[in-house]
Amino acid sequence: MSSNKPVAPVAQVDDSADVRSGRLSDEQIADNFADMHPPLTPSEAIIDADRCYFCYAAPCTAACPTGIDIPGFIQKIRSGNLKGSARTILSENIMGGMCARVCPTEVLCEQACVRNTHEDRPVRIGLLQRYATDPVFDEATPLFERAPATGRTVAVVGGGPAGLSCAHRLALLGHSATVFEPKQKLGGLNEYGIAAYKTPDDFAAREVEYILSIGGIDVRTGSALGKDLSLGELRAQYDAVFLGIGLAGVNGLGLDSEQLEGVANAVDYIATLRQAENKALLPVGRRVVVIGGGMTAIDIAVQSKALGAEQVTIVYRRGQEGMNASRYEQEFAQVRGVTVRYWSSPRKLLTVDGRVRTVEFETTRIAPDGRLKGTGQTFVLDADVVFKAIGQKVLWERLADTAEILELQQDRIVVDEERRTSLPGLWAGGDCVHGGMDLTVSAVQDGKLAALSIDRFLRTSESPARAPRRGS
Ligand SMILES: Cc1cc2nc3c(=O)[nH]c(=O)nc-3n(C[C@H](O)[C@H](O)[C@H](O)COP(=O)(O)OP(=O)(O)OC[C@H]3O[C@@H](n4cnc5c(N)ncnc54)[C@H](O)[C@@H]3O)c2cc1C
Ligand code: SF4
C-alpha cells in the first residue's frame, strides 16, 4: 500500500529458497486472474431484476452504507432505462462501479434482501449494479453537471475512495477541489490494493477518469502531507480541508527479525502485483505462509496461489468466527486451494543463511478471563515466503504535526456524524477515521457526507468556525 518499490521476495530471488517466477504459463495466469464475477448478460439481468419485490422501506437500501435506492435502480433496469438506473446508483455512490465489484454484498445489501427468507437466495444486487453502471464507464457517459462556481476552494488530502468521493461531490456543488496525492496514480487501494481478479481491465483508472471528468478538480500527485505539505499551510490557503489519507503503515508481528529476507508486507506485494504489466514474471514462493485473518490475508493467499504457489496456508490466531474476512471470502480462499489454520499464533521465524525457511507457531485458546492465550503446544510450517497481513495503521510518525493537534482514538481520527474533526474547517473520512468499516463503500460515504457538511459550512457566511480564505 505504501510504496511501489518491489518488496524483498519479489526483488531478490534466492536459489536456496524456492522463490521464482514462471511457475504457470501466461494462459494459466490469465485464467486465474480473470474477472471473479463475470458481468450478467441482458437476459440474466432481467430475470434477476424480476425477482425483486420492490419492498417498501427496502432493507437492502438500509443495509447499503451509501443508501443507494436499490429497488429504484432495479425497477429502472426492468423498464430498460439503464442510464436512469446508473444515475440512481452513482448519485449516492460515485464509485458504484467499483463497489459493484468489491463490496462484500453477502454481509451488506444481499444479506438483508428478503428473498433470502423465501428462497435462500438474494437478488444479485451487486451484479445488477454492475450491469447498470458498466455502460456509463465504458462509454464515459456524462450523468452529472456542476452547479455554478462558488469561488470556494477545498484541499482534499489523499486520492483514494474517500478523497475522490469528497472531491467529486464538492465539484458537483460548485466548489473547487484540489486533491493532493503522493503516488503517481489516483484511486488509493482501488488502484494498489484490491485483489486483481476483482477489478480487471484497468477499471480503477477508468473510474478515476470518469470522476475527474466532472471538472473543478485539480490534481497534485507527488504531494504528501507531512513531507511536501503541512496542515497549517493547507488550512491557511483553503476554505476547508478534508483528510482521506487511509492507512499507509503496516502492523508488525512483534517478533524479532521481521526484516528477514523472505518476510514481506502483504499490501506491498499486492501493490506490486496490481501494477505489474506481466504477472507471470512475478517471483512467487513454492510454500507461502500468510499471517492474518482479514481481507488482505485472503487476497494475498489467493493471489499467491493464482501465481502458482504450491502450498499456501493462512494462519489466524483466533477461530473462524473471529476472522474479519467474511465466511464467503474464507470459503472462496479454500475453493482456490488455500489452507486455513485457526487458533495459532507465530512465535519464531527460523532462518537458513539469513532467510526465513520455517515459522514456529503456538496454538492458542481463550482463557477463563476471556483473553487469548498460548497453550504451550507448538508446530512449524515450512515457508519460502511469509506474508504479514495483520492490519494497517495511519503512519502518524510521518504526520507528527497533524497528530499533535487532532483528537485521536486508537490512533485514528475522531469525527462526528458529519465527518467533522476536532479542528474547525477540517473534515476526515475513510480508513483513517475511528469507528469506520474499512471498506471502499464506507470510505465513499464518508467523503460524500464530509462534502455535504463542507458545503453547508461554506454557505453559512456567519459561521464562526470558518477557516481563513485563500489570500486573506
Ligand atoms: C489488500 C486489501 C484488499 C481490500 N479489499 C477490499 C474489498 O475487496 N472490498 C472492500 O470494500 N474493501 C476492501 N479493502 C478496503 C478498502 O480498500 C479501503 O477501505 C478503502 O480503500 C479506504 O479508502 P480511503 O480513501 O480511506 O483510503 P485509501 O484507499 O488507502 O486511500 C488513501 C490515499 O491517501 C494517500 N495518502 C496516504 N498518506 C498520505 C499523505 N501523507 N498525504 C497525502 N496523501 C496520502 C494514499 O496514497 C492513498 O491514495 C481492501 C483493503 C486492502 C488493504
Ligand atoms: S430487499 Fe431484495 S427484494 Fe426487497 S427491494 Fe431489496 S433487492 Fe428487492
Side-chain angles (χ1 to χ4, degrees):
M1 176 167 62
S2 56
S3 79
N4 294 332
K5 73 178 166 59
V7 289
V10 178
Q12 298 177 21
V13 180
D14 178 340
D15 286 342
S16 61
D18 196 349
V19 181
R20 63 182 173 84
S21 58
R23 289 188 184 279
L24 299 178
S25 67
D26 290 358
E27 292 72 28
Q28 285 170 310
I29 297 237
D31 270 0
N32 290 348
F33 283 94
D35 213 331
M36 181 178 172
H37 298 296
L40 296 175
T41 62
S43 50
E44 286 169 337
I46 293 301
I47 291 168
D48 240 76
D50 273 341
R51 294 183 60 238
C52 181
Y53 291 139
F54 306 106
C55 308
Y56 180 70
C60 52
T61 291
C64 170
T66 54
I68 292 172
D69 173 7
I70 292 169
F73 91 69
I74 294 179
Q75 181 66 272
K76 289 184 180 117
I77 291 179
R78 230 168 138 223
S79 61
N81 178 7
L82 276 196
K83 196 167 153 184
S85 179
R87 198 172 200 294
T88 301
I89 295 161
L90 299 177
S91 60
E92 288 300 341
N93 178 346
I94 192 60
M95 289 196 164
M98 182 59 81
C99 289
R101 290 160 168 77
V102 307
C103 256
T105 50
E106 66 280 2
V107 293
L108 297 171
C109 55
E110 291 181 15
Q111 187 181 53
C113 177
V114 298
R115 274 282 186 183
N116 283 311
T117 354
H118 296 167
E119 288 174 348
D120 232 14
R121 196 164 60 92
V123 174
R124 289 185 290 177
I125 301 167
L127 281 172
L128 286 174
Q129 180 165 313
R130 178 165 173 186
Y131 180 76
T133 51
D134 268 0
V136 168
F137 295 101
D138 290 346
E139 292 150 29
T141 314
L143 291 178
F144 303 100
E145 208 177 303
R146 291 188 71 197
T150 62
R152 293 308 185 101
T153 60
V154 182
V156 173
V157 186
L164 289 171
S165 160
C166 183
H168 185 269
R169 184 63 57 152
L170 288 166
L172 200 61
L173 294 164
H175 310 300
S176 296
T178 304
V179 177
F180 296 96
E181 166 59 48
K183 295 192 171 147
Q184 286 316 303
K185 291 186 186 173
L186 294 182
L189 289 169
N190 286 357
E191 176 62 46
Y192 293 98
I194 299 281
Y197 44 77
K198 289 188 186 170
T199 170
D201 303 329
D202 225 6
F203 181 76
R206 286 193 285 130
E207 188 173 56
V208 168
E209 214 171 293
Y210 184 79
I211 288 172
L212 298 182
S213 70
I214 182 96
I217 305 176
D218 182 23
V219 176
R220 311 259 175 96
T221 51
S223 310
L225 183 69
K227 182 167 164 250
D228 313 294
L229 320 156
S230 78
L231 193 55
E233 282 161 13
L234 293 177
R235 292 181 74 218
Q237 288 169 18
Y238 291 84
D239 293 314
V241 179
F242 174 80
L243 293 183
I245 52 176
L247 304 172
V250 177
N251 291 329
L253 298 171
L255 300 177
D256 288 341
S257 55
E258 277 182 45
Q259 308 309 321
L260 281 175
E261 217 183 304
V263 180
N265 294 324
V267 286
D268 291 340
Y269 189 87
I270 293 173
T272 306
L273 187 156
R274 281 292 310 274
Q275 299 305 306
E277 281 185 17
N278 183 353
K279 295 185 187 64
L281 297 180
L282 285 172
V284 60
R286 185 165 70 84
R287 293 153 311 177
V288 174
V289 169
V290 177
I291 300 171
M295 255 181 204
T296 306
I298 299 283
D299 286 358
I300 189 66
V302 173
Q303 290 178 109
S304 296
K305 197 80 191 143
L307 288 171
E310 277 173 27
Q311 239 178 57
V312 181
T313 311
I314 295 178
V315 185
Y316 177 55
R317 64 196 173 126
R318 293 177 185 271
Q320 188 172 35
E321 299 303 326
M323 266 179 121
N324 273 340
S326 69
R327 186 63 73 92
Y328 170 83
E329 285 167 319
Q330 295 176 41
E331 282 167 10
F332 172 72
Q334 284 162 343
V335 167
R336 293 275 178 125
V338 172
T339 304
V340 187
R341 293 189 71 155
Y342 304 98
W343 299 112
S344 306
S345 183
R347 258 188 24 171
K348 232 185 261 169
L349 300 165
L350 306 167
T351 62
V352 173
D353 296 334
R355 188 187 166 98
V356 72
R357 298 305 296 277
T358 312
V359 190
E360 182 181 294
F361 290 91
E362 180 178 12
T363 58
T364 54
R365 65 182 168 85
I366 302 289
D369 65 2
R371 300 227 302 245
L372 191 71
K373 292 254 166 70
T375 63
Q377 288 183 343
T378 60
F379 65 93
V380 294
L381 290 178
D382 289 339
D384 299 299
V385 173
V386 175
F387 283 117
K388 296 187 271 184
I390 54 167
Q392 290 92 246
K393 57 184 180 181
V394 181
L395 262 189
W396 288 121
E397 47 273 39
R398 293 200 198 146
L399 295 166
D401 294 352
T402 306
E404 237 168 61
I405 53 174
L406 269 179
E407 188 186 341
L408 305 179
Q409 198 173 333
Q410 291 172 324
D411 262 355
R412 301 217 199 174
I413 303 168
V414 172
V415 290
D416 67 9
E417 69 287 352
E418 291 190 25
R419 307 318 186 247
R420 289 176 293 210
T421 69
S422 55
L423 290 183
L426 181 68
W427 283 254
D431 287 358
C432 66
V433 304
H434 180 254
M437 296 167 85
D438 290 357
L439 292 175
T440 307
V441 66
S442 49
V444 173
Q445 176 71 351
D446 284 353
K448 180 179 85 182
L449 291 179
L452 295 171
S453 176
I454 292 170
D455 179 60
R456 286 191 289 277
F457 166 73
L458 295 177
R459 289 177 198 277
T460 314
S461 49
E462 354 22 274
S463 170
R466 169 161 296 165
R469 295 290 318 278
R470 190 202 276 269
S472 66

